[in-house]
Amino acid sequence: MIPPAFEYHRPTDIAGALGVIAEHGDEARVIAGGHSLIPMMKLRMVEIAHLIDLQDVADLKGISVGETIRIGAMVTQHGLINDAALSAAAPILREAALQIADPQVRYCGTVGGNVANGDPGNDMPGLMQCLDATFTLVGPDGSRDVPAREFYEAAYTTAREDDEILTAISFAKPAGGYAYEKQKRKIGDYATAAAAVLIEKQGGKITAASIAMTNLSDIPVFSEAAGDALKGTDGTGAALDKAVAAMLADIDPTEDNRGPVEFKKHVAGVILRRAIARAVDRA
Amino acid sequence: MADKMHLKLTINGEHLETLCEPRELLIHVLRERFNITGPHIGCETSHCGACTVDLDGKSVKACTLFAAQAQGATITTVEGLASPEGMHVLQEMFREHHGLQCGYCTPGMITRAWRLLQENPDPTEEEVRFGMAGNLCRCTGYQNIVKAILAAAAIMNGRDATADDAVKTPEEVA
Ligand SMILES: Cc1cc2nc3c(=O)[nH]c(=O)nc-3n(C[C@H](O)[C@H](O)[C@H](O)COP(=O)(O)OP(=O)(O)OC[C@H]3O[C@@H](n4cnc5c(N)ncnc54)[C@H](O)[C@@H]3O)c2cc1C
Ligand code: FES
Ligand code: FES
């Protein structure tokens, strides 16, 4: 199982990568960690004539932590998990990344590849919607920012143009409690359902709540109504029921090898309850 | 057909070169061009970890990496772990604790465990299980693999691996 022949490029800066895309258009594609792309190429489900390896592009690496947090697209899940400053400032990222794939995959797989891929099973897109993150894209006409909540259009279809490279992800340092909860059949599996939750509280009452879920539609599901249902409450009882009902109205799972629709809705409810409870507890 | 590339790698301390196509998988280059057959092919679909090698300080599945991506890398395979004095303590402990039956997963298991113990020299049982989650075994039920790794860690930390208290309990870690 190897893909058809391709020409391999390894530029050292973003301009070099954009240059190869400009020259070869649709025939060119970037590769980051390769742990979504290589399996697809081996199955010959995608064919690429010019493969542009981003591993030597230093400008796509690095994490900076302040009131705004910025993560370079080529930061690996392993790098993210082991960044002490990031884990202190935004522990939800570490909690989520530890639930992605297995150790070997996490050494290679990047945050940029995970959000750019557009696979509904990827965990980072929902998380980034929960954090209200912004993706920075650079193309032939310069740079632009797209909110994570507006980036996903359909499975494998995103707001990124084919000639753009995703360079970084940024978001405001989150406050309050957090939880990333995921149900999977085994380690290394994609989610049957996963929930990212951030909760802020004041005097026992929830003042802000952000909730997104993964693999329950062809795109990640950020539910404003679910968050609103918790505001002004203590996040238990009727308010929790209302938040879960709001989310269940927003998801649209399909039957596959992870189960029928009714089962997925059930699991989504269970996972969301757990995530909200943990986030409220930590707030 | 794309042009062949001149691939240069440092494998188990030796500088090795070959001509290959960029699309060749690292596992095929290791096994077929260099005759380094410790790393096995179990699934060839990124799931089993039998092909695990150490590449620039990371445990990676060599079936999910193109040869071209590895250009210039420093690689350690199971063949590189023993020294002239004898087997690596991990290898000794896999033998001692029956950490293998058919042995197919073993090179990947040991190479992964080698990196795990460098990052976390004194892990708990739970940390070993989590850190080894990318390696599947169809024979042992994992119990003796975990025991072997914990015993190796105990020895590397100067404890008597046969003593009752050699393996850390969760309370000791907390
Ligand atoms: C066994 C296994 C289990 C897995 N389990 C999970 C899981 O539970 N959860 C999960 O989220 N993922 C999982 N994954 C996927 C893994 O996390 C991938 O690494 C990740 O989805 C993609 O990141 P990558 O760096 O490998 O990207 P690549 O595979 O290199 O690229 C993916 C796609 O994004 C594009 N791309 C990459 N970087 C950029 C960029 N900077 N700009 C523009 N386009 C870009 C590529 O062209 C390609 O189309 C699993 C993978 C495996 C093999
Ligand atoms: S052969 Fe590489 S993961 Fe199974
Ligand atoms: S010993 Fe047979 S697969 Fe592990």
Side-chain angles (χ1 to χ4, degrees), chain A residues 174-219:
Chain A
Y178 67 92
Y180 195 83
E181 184 82 23
K182 177 174 173 179
Q183 170 66 40
K184 55 192 172 192
R185 296 171 302 177
K186 58 177 259 300
I187 279 205
D189 190 23
Y190 291 91
T192 303
V197 176
L198 289 170
I199 300 275
E200 288 176 57
K201 265 193 324 201
Q202 230 165 37
K205 294 269 183 267
I206 293 172
T207 52
S210 178
I211 303 176
M213 293 194 79
T214 289
N215 221 9
L216 294 162
S217 173
D218 64 342
I219 55 172

Side-chain angles (χ1 to χ4, degrees), chain B residues 29-147:
Chain B
V29 171
L30 292 173
R31 292 178 57 85
E32 288 158 27
R33 294 196 182 273
F34 295 131
N35 206 23
I36 295 171
T37 54
H40 290 164
I41 299 174
C43 64
E44 222 193 296
T45 55
S46 328
H47 288 98
C48 74
C51 62
T52 299
V53 302
D54 200 79
L55 182 140
D56 292 336
K58 305 169 294 194
S59 301
V60 301
K61 296 174 180 172
C63 73
T64 314
L65 213 72
F66 292 126
Q69 292 173 284
Q71 178 69 286
T74 298
I75 294 172
T76 303
T77 69
V78 71
E79 286 91 339
L81 299 187
S83 64
E85 290 79 58
M87 288 200 290
H88 189 273
V89 57
L90 269 165
Q91 294 170 308
E92 288 285 4
M93 289 303 105
F94 266 68
R95 181 168 71 179
E96 175 90 18
H97 292 273
H98 304 286
L100 62 145
Q101 288 177 22
C102 80
Y104 202 85
C105 68
T106 315
M109 287 284 177
I110 291 181
T111 312
R112 168 60 194 145
W114 183 69
R115 176 55 52 193
L116 174 65
L117 292 187
Q118 288 176 60
E119 292 184 351
N120 182 358
D122 208 4
T124 61
E125 174 179 343
E126 199 185 326
E127 286 166 345
V128 168
R129 287 184 183 273
F130 192 74
M132 297 300 296
N135 294 75
L136 302 183
C137 175
R138 299 288 84 162
C139 301
T140 62
Y142 302 101
Q143 199 67 24
N144 289 350
I145 291 175
V146 174
K147 263 193 212 159

Side-chain angles (χ1 to χ4, degrees), chain A residues 6 16 26 29 39 66 69 82 85 97 109 134 159 182 191 195 203 214 230 240 244 252 276 278:
Chain A
F6 55 78
D26 281 356
R29 180 95 157 254
I69 293 171
N82 288 290
T134 300
K182 177 174 173 179
T214 289
L230 297 177
L240 180 57
V244 171
D252 184 19
I276 292 174
R278 198 159 74 238

